[in-house]
Amino acid sequence: NLVGALFAVYYSSLGVGPFMAHSSLVTELTVQAFVVTTALSGLLLIAAMHERAEAMDELRLSDRIIDASPEHIAVITPEHTYRRVNEAHLRAHGRTAQAVVGRRVAELLGQEVYRQLVRPYLERSFAGADVRYSAWFDFEGVGRRYMLITYLPLANHGGRKIDGVAVLSRDITDIKQAEEKLQLA
């Protein structure tokens, strides 16, 4: 922007360029308006870049918090594919993000578990309901675990359409086993 403004001033002083008018006053005012407009657009660009950098910092912080959570966290699309998963989810399934993100839930959990257990609850959540249930799951990375599952619908800005479901899963195997021992006693 500065180089463009300097060229405009320089060539106008030589009497050439797009800012030349029949009057030197009009030429001077036109060049000044161009310089001010250029300076303002540069300042707006700097402000927008600063805002974007701050937003990216906040996004990275949110990602670190989600990945640090011991709960399994995932976001499921309306097509029942994984959009985002955290580190705890990946460890439990013994997979990498590349092997999970973009894949269908049925591929990761198995067709039978998906069809009988997960899909009905997901469909309720995509209809707008918060869903909570608990069940036993077999994980490749950690074995058989009793999980407390929560599905939270994620509505778009207008709130009219659900464009994802947040899945929060907490391993409560120790609590379930303690309850079973208590009942047995």
Side-chain angles (χ1 to χ4, degrees), residues 30-46:
T30 306
V31 169
Q32 286 177 357
F34 175 74
V35 170
V36 167
T37 303
T38 302
L40 286 176
S41 67
L43 291 174
L44 289 173
L45 182 61
I46 289 169

Side-chain angles (χ1 to χ4, degrees), residues 51-64:
E51 261 184 55
R52 184 178 189 280
E54 285 180 349
M56 291 302 293
D57 287 345
E58 287 296 316
L59 183 61
R60 281 190 285 276
L61 177 62
S62 296
D63 282 345
R64 288 191 354 239

Side-chain angles (χ1 to χ4, degrees), residues 7-179:
F7 274 118
V9 169
Y10 175 72
Y11 283 109
S12 294
S13 69
L14 294 178
V16 295
F19 300 106
M20 294 308 302
H22 61 286
S23 153
S24 64
L25 178 63
V26 172
T27 299
E28 187 176 321
L29 288 174
T30 306
V31 169
Q32 286 177 357
F34 175 74
V35 170
V36 167
T37 303
T38 302
L40 286 176
S41 67
L43 291 174
L44 289 173
L45 182 61
I46 289 169
M49 288 172 55
H50 180 71
E51 261 184 55
R52 184 178 189 280
E54 285 180 349
M56 291 302 293
D57 287 345
E58 287 296 316
L59 183 61
R60 281 190 285 276
L61 177 62
S62 296
D63 282 345
R64 288 191 354 239
I65 291 169
I66 290 169
D67 281 336
S69 173
E71 287 195 20
H72 305 189
I73 300 173
V75 175
I76 307 295
T77 69
E79 297 78 31
H80 295 198
T81 60
Y82 288 97
R83 181 174 175 194
R84 168 83 162 88
V85 293
N86 74 339
E87 291 298 320
H89 190 279
L90 294 173
R91 277 192 306 275
H93 288 281
R95 306 274 174 97
T96 64
Q98 294 80 10
V100 175
V101 174
R103 307 276 183 182
R104 297 191 55 80
V105 174
E107 290 178 50
L108 187 64
L109 299 180
Q111 289 292 336
E112 193 67 23
V113 170
Y114 170 75
R115 190 174 43 78
Q116 290 184 357
L117 181 64
V118 175
R119 186 178 69 194
Y121 289 124
L122 269 177
E123 288 173 357
R124 280 185 45 212
S125 191
F126 275 106
D130 290 357
V131 176
R132 287 175 181 75
Y133 67 97
S134 54
W136 286 99
F137 286 89
D138 293 315
F139 293 100
E140 196 170 305
V142 293
R144 188 164 174 79
R145 308 304 293 175
Y146 194 72
M147 304 299 290
L148 176 62
I149 314 289
T150 303
Y151 294 159
L152 302 170
L154 302 172
N156 64 5
H157 296 292
R160 292 177 295 275
K161 180 183 173 202
I162 307 295
D163 55 6
V165 168
V167 179
L168 310 172
S169 306
R170 179 178 298 149
D171 186 343
I172 58 169
T173 306
D174 296 337
I175 296 169
K176 180 69 171 171
Q177 289 172 341
E179 284 177 358

